[in-house]
Amino acid sequence: MKFALSIVSVLLVIMGGIWALQGLSILGGSFMVGQTRWLYIGLLTMIFGGVLFFVTRRR
């Protein structure tokens, strides 16, 4: 279970990073480009993934 949660948390951080970069118009190719809403959603997703990783590793 610990291994699976670690993988999920890393994937959340990666997804959040992609969403944040698209919100900043650094990555293109989707409807999310240039919309600051996706920047905030991406940052929140990255934070959630980081906290999940930290909590998973501490157990």
Side-chain angles (χ1 to χ4, degrees):
M1 188 67 170
K2 189 175 183 180
F3 182 71
L5 283 176
S6 295
I7 290 175
V8 168
S9 64
V10 169
L11 289 175
L12 282 171
V13 170
I14 292 170
M15 269 183 10
I18 290 171
W19 290 346
L21 291 175
Q22 285 181 333
L24 288 172
S25 297
I26 295 174
L27 287 178
S30 80
F31 65 93
M32 297 183 271
V33 174
Q35 295 186 15
T36 55
R37 172 182 21 172
W38 287 103
L39 169 64
Y40 298 129
I41 292 171
L43 290 175
L44 287 173
T45 305
M46 288 174 62
I47 291 169
F48 180 73
V51 169
L52 180 64
F53 185 79
F54 180 72
V55 168
T56 301
R57 286 300 184 189
R58 282 195 57 118
R59 285 194 213 170

